[in-house]
Amino acid sequence: MGTAIAGTVFIAIGAFWLSFTALADLARRSGIDDAQAWAWPLIVDGIIVVATVAVVALAGQRTAWYPWLLLMAGALVSVTANAIHAIVAADADVPAVLAASVAAVPPLVLLAITHLTVVLTRARPVGPSEQSVAEPALAVEVEPVAEADPPTSGRELAVVLRDEGWSNKRIARHVGVHPSTVGRWLGARTSPIAITATADTEGTQP
């Protein structure tokens, strides 16, 4: 991957330099000052590079039409200007079509190689550590064993002690309330007959 990226960058620099020198010379022949002629090819070919990066970055989005428009416009201007410069600067014995075709190669290569470079840099291979993050191991979920919660109030404690066979008086002494309170707590769980039998039994206890 690194070799491929280095090769595309090297080719892109060469194509940019050939197109740059041709467009700069065409700018000087068109009346632009020598000190400013370098800016014109930088603007034209710079649009190709920036628009290509934007097209790849916005791939699949609705706003990608605008960088595509800039990319096509920049490529059209660069190819046309390079062809015109070749026709103007070529020797008289060289056919104009041949000169224009040769001059159109650098901007077209710049367009294609810039796109390829961006694609290669974005599509880097995933390392083992990243694969482990992307594909986490399946974890075995162990459900905790349910444990009985201890009583949180006197009423609940009275119910537990009653189920163990304690009397209301004994529960009342243990919880620290009046026996009638214990009777009210347990009234919802005991029928009226059972409550009466329990009270009679408790009355005979010493």
Side-chain angles (χ1 to χ4, degrees):
M1 179 66 72
T3 304
I5 295 176
T8 57
V9 172
F10 179 78
I11 295 174
I13 293 175
F16 182 84
W17 176 249
L18 289 176
S19 179
F20 181 89
T21 54
L23 295 181
D25 184 60
L26 181 64
R28 285 190 293 268
R29 291 172 180 267
S30 301
I32 299 178
D33 187 79
D34 292 345
Q36 299 175 342
W38 63 269
W40 195 73
L42 188 64
I43 293 173
V44 174
D45 289 339
I47 290 178
I48 297 177
V49 176
V50 175
T52 301
V53 176
V55 165
V56 177
L58 298 177
Q61 300 186 22
R62 297 180 59 183
T63 55
W65 67 269
Y66 185 64
W68 271 113
L69 179 62
L70 292 179
L71 179 59
M72 291 185 292
L76 179 61
V77 172
S78 181
V79 171
T80 303
N82 274 274
I84 294 175
H85 174 265
I87 295 174
V88 172
D91 295 335
D93 55 345
V94 176
V97 176
L98 176 60
S101 300
V102 172
V105 172
L108 292 177
V109 171
L110 176 63
L111 172 62
I113 210 68
T114 301
H115 186 273
L116 178 59
T117 303
V118 176
V119 171
L120 289 176
T121 55
R122 289 173 61 90
R124 62 185 183 88
V126 179
S129 59
E130 295 175 338
Q131 289 180 352
S132 61
V133 174
E135 300 177 358
L138 296 177
V140 179
E141 297 183 358
V142 179
E143 297 183 357
V145 179
E147 298 180 358
D149 296 331
T152 58
S153 64
R155 182 190 298 271
E156 295 179 0
L157 180 58
V159 172
V160 173
L161 296 178
R162 182 60 177 173
D163 292 338
E164 294 180 359
W166 287 35
S167 65
N168 286 5
K169 288 184 178 181
R170 187 180 177 187
I171 295 173
R173 287 194 303 268
H174 183 77
V175 179
V177 297
H178 196 271
S180 61
T181 303
V182 177
R184 287 195 303 272
W185 287 350
L186 302 178
R189 301 180 67 253
T190 311
S191 63
I193 298 176
I195 294 175
T196 304
T198 301
D200 294 340
T201 305
E202 294 172 353
T204 60
Q205 291 181 356

